[in-house]
Amino acid sequence: MHSVGTVALGTSGTSAADVIAVARDNARIELTDEARAALAASREIVDALAAKPDPVYGVSTGFGALASRHIGPDLRAQLQRNIVRSHAAGMGPRVEREVVRALMFLRLKTVCSGHTGVRPEVAQTMADVLNAGITPVVHEYGSLGCSGDLAPLSHCALTLMGEGDAEGPDGALKPAGELLAAHGITPVELREKEGLALLNGTDGMLGMLIMALADLETLYKSADVTAALTLEALLGTEKVLAPELHAIRPHPGQAASAANMLAVLVGSGLTGHHQDDAPRVQDAYSVRCAPQVAGAGRDTMAHARTVAERELAAAVDNPVVLPDGRVESNGNFHGAPVAYVLDFLAIAAADLGSIAERRTDRLLDKNRSHGLPPFLADDAGVDSGLMIAQYTQAALVSEMKRLAVPASADSIPSSAMQEDHVSMGWSAARKLRTAVDNLTRIVAIELYAATRAVELREGLTPAPATQAVIEAIRKAGVEGPGPDRFLAPDLAAADAFVRSGALLAAVEPVTGALA
């Protein structure tokens, strides 16, 4: 396991960049002296309340619909162990390592705020587990996104107790107790409130939101590039990208997308031929309105980023320890704010995929491609060209549309109607991850078709940025025009080219940094 950098956790939250660093780059975590002091201070408050005869939720009572029972001191350690064991009830496939690391790190972020009453040694154990590269087994199903991501967080807390299974830094699954012992980590013995505090947060859905935003930022820039290449291949006009046209409808995302496309098209010998052999006044919507659609998605991302930043600064737990010493119940664990933007992003991603597929189809249709061969085939009829690549793209778009159906519009009551309205935010996050994965493939197929189409425009010189993309993608093993061949490897290589950021790396030395 290779570690990149160190992240310091204090009391005031964390950043999206730190979440990515821990989740994807194995950055080490250090607790600041400020965090340790806040942890100790809030623990003193919980210990004082635990010593009193009055029942306090989560400290000396049961949980959820069972909160009416007062729990005596002799059963409280068992109470905290039991909540973790009973709530670790997930089922289905394992979720990805980066998701689990983000989940644990964000829970630790809230613990370090000093609002949870967790002891400093428990927080340190959480950091130690992450630093050792130990990843709890967390399952696909179990969270309703209210009282936070209960089941996923419980599986993580189970590992801290040395129970259940986890993945070691070598990727092998082993009993968690063995992995902790191998790394010199002592399992925690949970005390009052600590079991509850380890599993009562929106951390899974927030972690997936942050990673989706990072991926979508790359994808939206990549989609601007592929849209520009398609415009060029279709001999379209770049005049619709003029900044003064976008200034009179002042959506910032739209202006950014248009500027990106214009930057790619500088110096093109293919644009502006829309009135040559087959005059047309305007390009089709999928070409002409590319900045409007991609721009709306960018503005959606900006809103989602605002929500994520607020959550990153939050301490989500119930009950919470307040600076004046009160321990109060609240509803801050409800995932609605995060769930809504996760669903909103899935809608925007589906529409971006849809418009990219329409552009690809236009490149392949001899009746609409303004002189390109049918399906960009070498010898149409003998060769099928990219006919079925578009089928694959269409299948991906169709699934994207299904994934755009909001999870957050649903609610199923739980806990004997105590938790009678839930967010389904975890489900929204899981389907967004699939949507982002599919969108990458869709953009890759448009890129594959557009580069081939540009190369088939013999006698016309593409923009320098376009030429740089073509040279880079050919070096990456994606072949150009020619007779039919096994297509799946080419499409996989194009997908890797987009997914890795190589497309932007090829363009930006020519265009400058894209917005």
Side-chain angles (χ1 to χ4, degrees):
M1 185 189 74
H2 180 61
S3 175
V4 178
T6 300
V7 168
L9 265 183
T11 60
S12 57
T14 189
S15 68
D18 283 349
V19 175
I20 298 289
V22 171
R24 292 182 166 172
D25 299 327
N26 302 310
R28 290 187 59 80
I29 302 157
E30 292 182 357
L31 308 187
T32 65
D33 291 342
E34 173 198 41
R36 294 180 191 282
L39 284 159
S42 69
R43 185 65 209 179
E44 285 182 10
I45 294 168
V46 170
D47 284 342
L49 287 170
K52 293 181 178 180
D54 303 325
V56 177
Y57 177 69
V59 175
S60 52
T61 70
F63 308 110
L66 303 176
S68 58
R69 177 176 172 181
H70 182 262
I71 308 296
D74 57 326
L75 292 176
R76 288 177 191 169
Q78 182 180 339
L79 171 72
Q80 300 302 320
R81 285 195 303 273
N82 284 353
I83 189 175
V84 173
R85 290 169 175 167
S86 66
H87 285 46
M91 292 184 75
R94 289 173 57 197
V95 303
E96 304 81 3
R97 181 178 185 272
E98 67 177 20
V99 172
V100 180
R101 287 184 63 81
L103 170 78
M104 289 186 70
F105 175 64
L106 286 165
R107 181 79 315 228
L108 179 56
K109 175 267 299 182
T110 281
V111 165
C112 287
S113 71
H115 289 294
T116 68
V118 169
R119 288 169 294 153
E121 51 265 44
V122 175
Q124 185 59 55
T125 302
M126 295 172 76
D128 291 344
V129 167
L130 282 165
N131 290 342
I134 297 170
T135 307
V137 170
V138 173
H139 298 280
E140 180 82 17
Y141 303 106
S143 173
L144 301 180
C146 205
S147 281
D149 293 315
L150 285 173
L153 282 162
S154 298
H155 281 275
C156 294
L158 199 66
T159 294
L160 298 178
M161 292 165 48
E163 300 181 16
D165 291 328
E167 179 185 297
D170 59 356
L173 276 183
K174 293 180 181 177
E178 288 184 21
L179 285 169
L180 296 186
H183 289 85
I185 300 171
T186 303
V188 298
E189 295 183 10
L190 299 174
R191 288 170 44 179
E192 291 93 344
K193 193 183 177 304
E194 289 181 333
L196 185 62
L198 292 179
L199 52 90
N200 212 343
T202 53
D203 309 290
M205 63 185 95
L206 175 58
M208 286 186 274
L209 172 61
I210 288 164
M211 289 186 285
L213 283 169
D215 294 338
L216 286 168
E217 184 173 356
T218 296
L219 274 175
Y220 269 80
K221 292 178 184 178
S222 300
D224 289 341
V225 175
T226 60
L229 266 60
T230 297
L231 183 152
E232 198 173 14
L234 291 171
L235 306 180
T237 176
E238 80 282 14
K239 290 182 179 180
V240 296
L241 304 173
E244 59 269 24
L245 294 176
H246 298 276
I248 61 175
R249 193 190 192 197
H251 294 291
Q254 177 180 321
S257 281
N260 286 347
M261 289 180 67
L262 204 54
V264 173
L265 294 169
V266 168
S268 174
L270 279 75
T271 57
H273 293 275
H274 56 292
Q275 294 188 338
D276 286 358
D277 297 330
R280 60 192 192 277
V281 176
Q282 299 170 327
D283 291 317
Y285 281 12
S286 60
V287 177
R288 185 171 16 130
C289 301
Q292 284 76 8
V293 171
R298 285 166 168 273
D299 291 342
T300 301
M301 284 197 294
H303 170 58
R305 202 170 285 115
T306 297
V307 172
E309 287 168 356
R310 291 170 182 160
E311 285 285 296
L312 284 167
V316 178
D317 193 18
N318 180 50
V320 292
V321 180
L322 295 173
D324 61 8
R326 287 180 294 148
V327 176
E328 297 284 2
S329 291
N330 66 91
N332 284 343
F333 49 72
H334 198 289
V338 186
Y340 293 165
V341 294
L342 287 162
D343 280 334
F344 200 174
L345 288 171
I347 291 169
D351 202 34
L352 186 65
S354 180
I355 197 170
E357 183 276 328
R358 287 294 80 207
R359 289 192 296 264
T360 304
D361 183 63
R362 185 164 288 270
L363 288 168
L364 305 188
D365 184 353
K366 70 181 181 65
N367 297 312
R368 296 179 291 142
S369 66
H370 311 290
L372 290 169
F375 304 104
L376 306 181
D378 187 61
D379 183 4
V382 174
D383 295 309
S384 293
L386 306 192
M387 180 190 293
I388 307 304
Q390 184 268 331
Y391 282 38
T392 300
Q393 198 182 36
L396 290 162
V397 169
S398 182
E399 185 179 37
M400 293 277 289
K401 293 174 181 177
R402 295 192 296 275
L403 294 167
V405 175
S408 59
D410 187 28
S411 174
I412 297 180
S414 55
S415 193
M417 293 298 284
Q418 174 70 7
E419 297 169 10
D420 59 350
H421 183 82
V422 297
S423 79
M424 298 297 179
W426 173 272
S427 300
R430 295 305 296 163
K431 69 185 182 64
L432 178 59
R433 280 182 71 84
T434 303
V436 170
D437 208 29
N438 284 352
L439 180 60
T440 309
R441 298 185 179 104
I442 290 165
V443 171
I445 292 171
E446 183 183 15
L447 174 66
Y448 185 63
T451 51
R452 177 183 283 211
V454 168
E455 287 187 293
L456 289 170
R457 292 292 189 189
E458 295 178 1
L460 295 172
T461 305
T466 300
Q467 193 58 46
V469 170
I470 292 170
E471 289 173 5
I473 199 169
R474 299 294 171 250
K475 286 179 183 175
V478 181
E479 295 189 35
D484 281 356
R485 56 184 172 270
F486 181 22
L487 206 53
D490 270 0
L491 297 180
D495 174 61
F497 190 75
V498 172
R499 196 175 295 270
S500 68
L503 173 58
L504 298 184
V507 167
E508 290 186 327
V510 182
T511 61
L514 296 180

